[in-house]
Amino acid sequence: MPRLTDARRELRRAQIAEAAVRCFGRNGLESTSIADITAESGLSAGSIYAHYRNKADLVRAAAREVLARRADVLGAYAAQEIPPAPDELLARLVAAIDPAEARVGVQTWGEATTDPAMCAIVTDLTDRMRALLHDCVTAWLTRAEGIEPAAAREQAASIAHRLMALYQAELLYAALRPPAPSAPPTSEDTP
């Protein structure tokens, strides 16, 4: 059997983690089984266990996947010539919330209260996201508002903290809304 390249291994891990996110978002962390993730990913259980030791390892990977996506978006905003103003930044982040991912995020927060490994992941990624918000706001204050970098950095700290809190509140709100029902197939969907 051919060995997977490192790039292919990472793609496979991402495929499994994304399938896990969909399952956890739909069924919850506790109610999702490895068999559910196997069916969702289209891979064998052996393939999943070749990449993840157990369900807890998959939960951690799913949490990283969900939280890392938001961090990537914030990094792109901070790199813009003129980053969005704080209100616009929050509006964009809120508009991009996927309810299934929000449910996974909130569930991982709950797990983080009793699982030290999950707590470390959630804390690290939350701190990273807050730092990226801080960078975005600092960039906006210096580039759009003309504030000196040191003063902008200091002023941005409290703004970033409030943005993070508001974003987390929106995640919770999105997670608590019932999933939208699937639309019935239309005549265009049937062969």
Side-chain angles (χ1 to χ4, degrees):
M1 176 181 273
R3 297 183 60 83
L4 290 175
T5 64
D6 287 343
R8 184 80 175 137
R9 186 175 295 109
E10 283 307 309
L11 283 173
R12 184 65 50 88
R13 285 180 63 82
Q15 177 185 1
I16 295 166
E18 288 169 10
V21 167
R22 289 190 300 272
C23 289
F24 295 147
R26 187 173 50 244
N27 305 327
L29 297 178
E30 285 296 315
S31 297
T32 297
S33 67
I34 292 294
D36 295 328
I37 297 166
T38 299
E40 184 76 22
S41 69
L43 300 171
S44 68
S47 181
I48 290 175
Y49 282 115
H51 296 282
Y52 296 99
R53 292 183 311 264
N54 52 36
K55 182 177 160 185
D57 198 22
L58 252 171
V59 169
R60 290 181 193 101
R64 274 191 215 99
E65 182 77 23
V66 169
L67 294 171
R69 284 185 198 145
R70 295 293 76 78
D72 290 344
V73 168
L74 285 170
Y77 288 155
Q80 291 178 351
E81 186 175 331
I82 301 291
D87 287 342
E88 176 64 20
L89 179 61
L90 181 61
R92 288 182 190 184
L93 288 170
V94 169
I97 292 174
D98 176 288
E101 288 183 1
R103 285 190 290 281
V104 174
V106 170
Q107 290 175 67
T108 58
W109 296 345
E111 289 292 315
T113 64
T114 58
D115 178 344
M118 183 63 76
C119 183
I121 291 165
V122 170
T123 301
D124 175 59
L125 291 172
T126 301
D127 288 347
R128 195 171 129 215
M129 187 164 171
R130 185 178 290 116
L132 287 167
L133 281 168
H134 188 252
D135 290 347
C136 280
V137 173
T138 300
W140 175 76
L141 287 169
T142 57
R143 296 177 198 156
E145 299 294 303
I147 298 175
E148 293 296 318
R153 198 128 188 94
E154 186 176 323
Q155 187 177 342
S158 63
I159 297 169
H161 182 80
R162 287 191 306 274
L163 285 174
M164 186 68 182
L166 290 169
Y167 178 66
Q168 288 175 317
E170 290 289 343
L171 281 172
L172 179 59
Y173 179 71
L176 294 175
R177 280 186 293 216
S182 298
T186 64
S187 59
E188 296 171 5
D189 295 333
T190 55

